[in-house]
């Protein structure tokens, strides 16, 4: 895609754009659609699919040209072909030719950084190897217990009120609490850190200050763990044979924290919304026909946490989805339209249970390394919330729900619910560390225990005699012991004397 024409070679015959003042919305030079001006990106993606096929030309802010990959197979080919496409924006033609200004709104997402998600070759192996090695040390059994306990702590904050906003009070907090524990800074978790992370990702006027607040916490963590490593992800990054510098450790901690937090917050919100508004999901969950993990996978198909990912770049001239891609062209990896590609999902209402071929976590060399963390937070968090509040229901019409949308993702603003008020739970008790209960006393089967004998005697007394508290009625307690067989058993082996045998003979027996 060349910046001079703002249109790919194969689309030179497109009609010219609307003149100034035309009521047409979202169209730029060459009649191309501006993604950032679209009111409904999902509808626009289908329109582009009908017009151009699985790969379509579009415009970003400042009319910067870009391709968006809409097809499922085409997205997979792009992310799995590192010889043709890479994440290094330094080869992006519009950037090299000055069309993309330093203050471009998407520069924080596209600008090259010395991190694994932008690296290639041996450098990518070194950096990603450190991240994957650190993540591989996570004990997911302990992690799931921590997620459950964190869920109980967060639910305790609003369970007595009988109402809550599950986005502002739950889904924005649980991922941050868990990620702080994984990274090794549980004491840093607070409402202020949650607000800073949300603000930094929204790109507001205060986003730079919020980003600095988060980075200060990660810098402190890096310094402390460099001096005294412990059993956490930050320590394993530092001690990994890849020998990451402090800057590399800090940047990858930021990458893991922000990516996991953003994706999991959206995933939690989407799963909870689906469970609340779709009666089929709720009935199946309650009836045991669908587990929460299966509901999570269905949500990853329908509403992936990231609509698009910035960006891949062509390393050579090639062809993709019937379009001619020039060297230096930029392409958006787009899980949202790819997951609803008619070639893989002709019926969008059909269940996708057991099918994990969605693109919510990417693929190829840059596939999301922390997807199992996100799945665990969603699985355990949603399940624990539903166990605590089984009668939770939406407290508004679903048409009243508010969303904020961008090219990258779509966020649920709030999720008001109501439920029967419940008391808080004690979450201080450490699981599986209770004192061992007292063992039963030694006794043999068939011997009556003293404690059980008293009721048996009491039941044998006449009803009229029961109110009398005389001890005489309790003293016959040993009477059940006159076992009549004991004398016979004792005499059987005894040999009778001569006189006794003579008397038996004399008497005839």
């Amino acid at each position: 895609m060349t910046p001079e024409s703002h249109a790919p070679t194969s689309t030179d015959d497109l009609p010219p754009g609307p003149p100034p003042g035309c009521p047409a919305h979202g169209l730029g030079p060459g009649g191309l659609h501006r993604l950032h001006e679209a009111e409904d990106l999902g509808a626009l993606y289908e329109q582009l699919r009908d017009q151009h096929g699985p790969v379509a030309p579009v415009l970003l802010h400042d009319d910067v040209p870009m391709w968006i990959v809409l097809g499922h197979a085409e997205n997979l080919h792009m992310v799995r072909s590192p010889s043709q496409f890479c994440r290094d924006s330094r080869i992006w033609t519009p950037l090299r030719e000055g069309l993309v200004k330093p203050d471009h709104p998407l520069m924080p997402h596209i600008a090259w950084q010395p991190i694994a998600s932008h690296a290639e070759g041996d450098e990518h192996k070194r950096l990603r190897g450190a991240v994957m090695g650190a993540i591989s040390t996570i004990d997911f059994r302990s992690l799931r217990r921590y997620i459950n306990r964190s869920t109980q702590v967060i639910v305790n904050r609003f369970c007595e009120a009988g109402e809550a906003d599950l986005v502002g009070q739950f889904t924005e907090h649980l991922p941050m609490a868990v990620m702080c524990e994984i990274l090794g800074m549980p004491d840093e978790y607070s409402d202020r850190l949650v607000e800073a992370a949300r603000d930094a990702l929204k790109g507001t006027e205060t986003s730079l200050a919020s980003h600095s607040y988060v980075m200060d916490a990660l810098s402190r963590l890096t310094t402390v763990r460099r001096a005294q490593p412990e059993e956490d992800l930050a320590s394993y990054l530092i001690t990994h044979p890849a020998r990451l510098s402090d800057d590399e450790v800090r940047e990858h901690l930021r990458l893991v924290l922000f990516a996991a937090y953003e994706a999991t917050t959206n995933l939690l919100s989407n799963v909870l919304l689906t469970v609340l508004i779709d009666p089929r999901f709720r009935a199946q969950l309650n009836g045991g026909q669908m587990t929460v993990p299966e509901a999570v996978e269905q949500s990853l198909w329908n509403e992936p946490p990231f609509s698009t990912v910035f960006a891949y770049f062509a390393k050579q001239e090639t062809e993709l989805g019937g379009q001619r891609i020039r060297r230096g062209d930029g392409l958006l990896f787009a899980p949202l339209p790819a997951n609803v590609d008619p070639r893989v999902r002709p019926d969008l209402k059909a269940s996708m249970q057991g099918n994990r071929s969605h693109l919510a976590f990417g693929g190829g060399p840059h596939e999301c390394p922390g997807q199992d963390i996100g799945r665990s937070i969603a699985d355990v968090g949603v399940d624990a919330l539903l166990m605590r509040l089984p009668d939770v229901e939406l407290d508004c019409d679903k048409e009243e729900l508010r969303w904020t949308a961008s090219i990258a993702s779509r966020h649920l603003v709030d999720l008001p619910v109501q439920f029967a008020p419940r008391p808080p739970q004690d979450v201080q008790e450490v699981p599986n560390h209770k004192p061992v209960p007292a063992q039963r006393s030694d006794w043999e089967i068939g011997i009556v225990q003293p404690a059980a004998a008293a009721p048996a005697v009491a039941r044998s007394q006449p009803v009229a005699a029961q109110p009398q508290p005389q001890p005489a009625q309790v003293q016959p307690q040993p009477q059940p012991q006159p076992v009549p067989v004991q004398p016979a058993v004792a005499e059987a082996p005894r040999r009778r004397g001569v006189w006794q045998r003579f008397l038996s003979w004399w008497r005839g027996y």
Side-chain angles (χ1 to χ4, degrees), residues 423-444:
Q425 287 190 359
D426 180 13
V427 295
Q428 299 301 322
E429 186 176 0
V430 180
N432 299 327
H433 287 76
K434 295 181 179 180
V436 179
Q439 301 295 315
R440 68 184 184 185
S441 59
D442 294 335
W443 56 278
E444 296 180 8

Side-chain angles (χ1 to χ4, degrees), residues 105-116:
L106 298 180
M107 278 301 286
H109 301 278
I110 297 179
W112 182 86
Q113 302 173 55
I115 54 178

Side-chain angles (χ1 to χ4, degrees), residues 150-434:
S150 298
T151 300
Q152 308 307 328
V153 172
I154 295 173
V155 172
N156 278 349
R157 299 176 183 176
F158 57 78
C159 62
E160 295 178 288
E163 60 182 9
D165 166 22
L166 290 185
V167 172
Q169 295 178 261
F170 182 70
T171 66
E172 290 184 350
H173 287 262
L174 180 60
M176 183 59 73
V178 176
M179 291 310 302
C180 285
E181 171 69 14
I182 291 175
L183 266 58
M185 54 178 196
D187 294 339
E188 294 283 355
Y189 167 68
S190 64
D191 292 345
R192 175 69 182 93
L193 186 63
V194 172
E195 293 169 1
R198 295 303 299 159
D199 187 56
L201 291 167
K202 289 177 182 177
T204 63
E205 294 180 355
T206 58
S207 60
L208 290 179
S210 297
H211 185 271
S212 297
Y213 180 87
V214 177
M215 291 305 296
D216 287 344
L218 297 178
S219 297
R220 291 193 298 270
L221 174 63
T222 302
T223 302
V224 171
R225 289 296 180 262
R226 179 72 73 178
Q228 186 176 357
E230 294 188 8
E231 301 292 326
D232 51 50
L233 192 140
S235 298
Y236 286 116
L237 276 179
I238 291 172
T239 59
H240 191 272
R243 298 182 179 277
L244 271 61
S245 66
D246 283 356
D247 287 342
E248 290 174 330
V249 170
R250 184 169 52 251
E251 287 301 314
H252 283 87
L253 290 175
R254 178 186 63 84
L255 174 66
V256 171
L257 177 64
F258 277 114
Y261 175 67
E262 172 80 349
T264 310
T265 295
N266 288 345
L267 179 58
L268 273 172
S269 300
N270 296 337
V271 173
L272 285 171
L273 176 60
T274 302
V275 170
L276 290 172
I277 68 174
D278 192 331
R280 296 173 302 169
F281 276 83
R282 194 63 181 269
Q284 288 177 320
L285 283 170
N286 290 338
Q289 299 178 18
M290 175 180 287
T291 63
V292 172
E294 288 171 339
V296 170
E297 294 303 321
Q298 185 73 34
S299 178
L300 289 170
W301 273 103
N302 297 338
E303 191 76 46
F306 292 109
S307 306
T308 60
V309 176
F310 298 92
Y312 282 76
F313 307 94
K315 299 170 67 175
Q316 60 188 29
E317 187 166 328
T318 185
E319 182 272 340
L320 184 66
Q323 301 284 12
R324 178 189 176 189
I325 310 298
R326 295 182 175 180
R327 184 182 186 278
D329 281 0
L331 305 96
L332 295 178
F333 171 65
L336 179 60
N339 282 353
V340 295
D341 187 341
R343 294 175 296 176
V344 295
R345 290 185 69 185
D347 181 7
L348 296 181
K349 296 182 180 179
S351 172
M352 302 302 289
Q353 291 188 41
N355 190 335
R356 283 194 173 189
S357 58
H358 56 74
L359 301 182
F361 296 113
H366 294 285
E367 183 176 7
C368 175
Q371 56 186 281
D372 289 337
I373 298 175
R375 280 194 175 97
S376 297
I377 295 175
D379 293 348
V380 179
V382 172
D383 186 60
L385 177 70
L386 295 179
M387 289 292 290
R388 282 288 299 277
L389 309 173
D391 59 342
V392 63
E393 59 183 20
L394 195 63
D395 197 18
C396 68
D397 294 333
K398 62 181 180 180
E399 292 77 14
E400 299 177 11
L401 294 172
R402 298 175 299 148
W403 299 79
T404 57
S406 66
I407 302 175
S409 60
R410 193 169 78 123
H411 305 270
L412 189 62
V413 175
D414 49 21
L415 188 59
V417 296
Q418 60 180 355
F419 47 86
R422 288 173 173 79
Q425 287 190 359
D426 180 13
V427 295
Q428 299 301 322
E429 186 176 0
V430 180
N432 299 327
H433 287 76
K434 295 181 179 180

Side-chain angles (χ1 to χ4, degrees), residues 473-496:
Q473 294 183 0
V474 183
Q475 287 179 357
Q477 192 172 356
Q479 290 181 1
Q481 297 181 358
V483 204
V485 292
Q486 286 183 354
V489 174
E491 292 179 0
R494 187 184 303 171
R495 182 177 178 81
R496 292 182 296 176

Side-chain angles (χ1 to χ4, degrees), residues 25-28 31-35 44 47-48 51 57-60:
H25 296 289
L27 294 180
L32 299 183
H33 286 273
R34 296 185 175 104
L35 288 185
L44 176 59
Q47 181 182 347
L48 291 172
Q51 291 178 350
V58 292
L59 298 174
L60 302 180

